[in-house]
Amino acid sequence: MSSGSPAISRASQALSIARPNPKTVLIAGGAGFLGSSLCEHYLENGDRVICLDNLSTGRFTNIHHLLPHKNFKLVTHDVTQPYSPPGPIDLIYNMACPASPPKYQIDPIHTFKTNVFGACHLLDLARKKGARILQASTSEVYGDPLVSPQREDYHGNVNIQGPRSCYDEGKRAAETLFHDYHAQFGVEVKIARIFNTYGPRMDPGDGRVVSNFIVQALRGDEITVNGDGSQTRSFCYLDDLIDGLVKLMHSPADLVQPVNIGNPGEFTVLELAKIVLDMTGSSSTLSFRDLPQDDPRQRRPDISTAKTLLGWSPQCDLAGGLSRTIPYFAAELSKINAVTASAGQ
């Protein structure tokens, strides 16, 4: 699947691809930049898609082009409350939760409820409908890891009472629920531990490091680097991530263990800043600020499980992904500037 305009154009057609036995796929958090790409993937595959989103951080602009599609349905709903639509559901993706620290820290209690109550309600729905369900977990379950790269059998180093705990512990609790629903009720579950992902459709005000650096560089603002920038991250391009999620969802039923999905290429935050400056041609300067509490010092996935059991590995390197992402942000900023100028007239 491509996140470029040809895919958007195909997916927005009112007529779907005809194929026998289409599936009904519910994507909670389907208006997010990952969820909306999953919506497109299944529509292009000829399936029916229910996009479930409360639009608190998901963006209507990510899915508005899909509204005319006869196999697409947008339901505005918060997963902290039960949801049970009529008719069959075959696959459920639980992508519902803000992933950006500035966003999920605004209301930490709701973030925790989204992870835990959301998991319970969607697992109950999967059990009722006989659906397979995938949990979008996170590398944050490893906390500030003491080992690198992080393997799925590493139990992590997480602060349960810090500013990131609502998200980190919420995702860990959701994984426990997925494990127990499978063990107790036989629900078919998949757990993807997603590492830093970037690409088109990210919110320019998202607050994550890639979007921050690109937006700051394009605006000519200071590039704000936490700490001395020596902390590392591994950046996975959107299309690779979606490919990994789909492969995991459609893997054999007995693959129920968590699987890391991410790009093992490791960069310091300072290296990322310099790459963005070079690729944007920006004259922005670097500005260093205090490292946030519990900010991980290293983040790098061991993807041996994904390679062996899914036949998956990322195909897009950082430079290639940024070359596709920077023009998207430039276009988004142009829209914002046009609206601001119009409002000022």
Side-chain angles (χ1 to χ4, degrees), residues 27-51:
I27 302 173
F33 97 102
L34 296 180
S36 61
S37 294
L38 282 169
C39 290
E40 275 190 356
H41 170 85
Y42 282 99
L43 289 174
E44 291 174 10
N45 197 47
D47 296 309
R48 296 179 290 264
V49 172
I50 301 171
C51 171

Side-chain angles (χ1 to χ4, degrees), residues 148-150 195-198 209-210 213 225-226 228-237 240 262-276 279 295-301 314 316-322:
S148 187
Q150 290 85 57
F195 282 68
N196 290 59
T197 305
Y198 67 98
V209 65
V210 172
F213 284 1
V225 178
N226 291 336
D228 62 4
S230 63
Q231 66 273 30
T232 69
R233 297 292 183 267
S234 299
F235 303 104
C236 188
Y237 184 63
D240 282 332
N263 193 318
E266 187 175 18
F267 297 84
T268 68
V269 170
L270 189 57
E271 285 174 330
L272 173 66
K274 292 177 178 178
I275 292 170
V276 169
M279 293 186 68
D295 195 61
R297 290 165 293 178
Q298 271 193 307
R299 189 64 89 227
R300 182 188 178 199
C316 185
D317 63 14
L318 181 59
L322 289 175

Side-chain angles (χ1 to χ4, degrees), residues 15-330:
L15 296 177
S16 66
I17 300 169
R19 75 178 184 86
N21 303 317
K23 295 183 181 298
T24 299
V25 186
L26 187 148
I27 302 173
F33 97 102
L34 296 180
S36 61
S37 294
L38 282 169
C39 290
E40 275 190 356
H41 170 85
Y42 282 99
L43 289 174
E44 291 174 10
N45 197 47
D47 296 309
R48 296 179 290 264
V49 172
I50 301 171
C51 171
L52 198 69
D53 205 301
N54 68 357
L55 299 177
S56 60
T57 56
R59 305 171 74 203
F60 183 75
T61 54
N62 286 343
I63 46 86
H64 77 278
H65 63 290
L66 302 178
L67 295 176
H69 201 296
K70 71 173 186 178
N71 282 344
F72 180 78
K73 181 180 181 180
L74 172 63
V75 177
T76 305
H77 182 84
D78 192 313
V79 294
T80 60
Q81 302 300 317
Y83 176 69
S84 184
I89 294 179
D90 301 292
L91 304 174
I92 300 172
Y93 283 87
N94 182 18
M95 313 294 292
C97 187
S100 163
K103 297 291 179 69
Y104 68 62
Q105 291 173 12
I106 291 173
D107 188 345
I109 293 175
H110 188 267
T111 296
F112 194 80
K113 286 180 177 180
T114 299
N115 281 313
V116 177
F117 294 172
C120 281
H121 294 147
L122 292 172
L123 283 161
D124 284 337
L125 180 61
R127 183 185 176 199
K128 176 182 177 181
K129 299 288 188 178
R132 174 177 289 192
I133 181 169
L134 182 145
Q135 165 68 4
S137 190
T138 171
S139 61
E140 298 301 323
V141 300
Y142 300 120
D144 185 6
L146 303 178
V147 300
S148 187
Q150 290 85 57
R151 290 171 28 134
E152 291 90 347
D153 58 3
Y154 176 56
H155 293 167
N157 177 40
V158 180
N159 180 1
I160 62 173
Q161 294 185 336
R164 304 170 71 102
S165 303
C166 60
Y167 183 74
D168 300 0
E169 287 296 310
K171 289 289 190 178
R172 287 164 66 95
E175 284 199 22
T176 298
L177 286 165
F178 268 65
H179 172 272
D180 290 345
Y181 266 74
H182 171 72
Q184 188 167 340
F185 301 123
V187 175
E188 286 194 14
V189 301
K190 304 291 177 181
I191 300 172
R193 290 181 178 165
I194 298 172
F195 282 68
N196 290 59
T197 305
Y198 67 98
R201 297 200 189 143
M202 292 184 81
D203 183 347
D206 185 69
R208 284 183 272 193
V209 65
V210 172
S211 54
N212 276 355
F213 284 1
I214 294 176
V215 169
Q216 289 167 345
L218 291 173
R219 285 177 169 166
D221 297 338
E222 289 184 334
I223 307 293
T224 53
V225 178
N226 291 336
D228 62 4
S230 63
Q231 66 273 30
T232 69
R233 297 292 183 267
S234 299
F235 303 104
C236 188
Y237 184 63
L238 169 65
D239 287 0
D240 282 332
L241 193 284
I242 296 301
D243 182 49
L245 292 181
V246 171
K247 279 186 165 69
L248 178 58
M249 174 62 94
H250 295 277
S251 63
D254 60 357
L255 176 52
V256 298
Q257 69 191 79
V259 179
N260 289 337
I261 304 291
N263 193 318
E266 187 175 18
F267 297 84
T268 68
V269 170
L270 189 57
E271 285 174 330
L272 173 66
K274 292 177 178 178
I275 292 170
V276 169
L277 284 172
D278 180 63
M279 293 186 68
T280 57
S282 174
S283 59
S284 294
T285 58
L286 300 179
S287 174
F288 296 87
R289 60 187 182 184
D290 291 340
L291 196 67
Q293 181 181 342
D294 300 329
D295 195 61
R297 290 165 293 178
Q298 271 193 307
R299 189 64 89 227
R300 182 188 178 199
D302 182 321
I303 61 169
S304 300
T305 301
K307 284 183 175 179
T308 301
L309 299 183
L310 303 180
W312 177 87
S313 61
Q315 303 301 305
C316 185
D317 63 14
L318 181 59
L322 289 175
S323 70
R324 304 179 204 178
T325 304
I326 290 170
Y328 158 78
F329 278 110

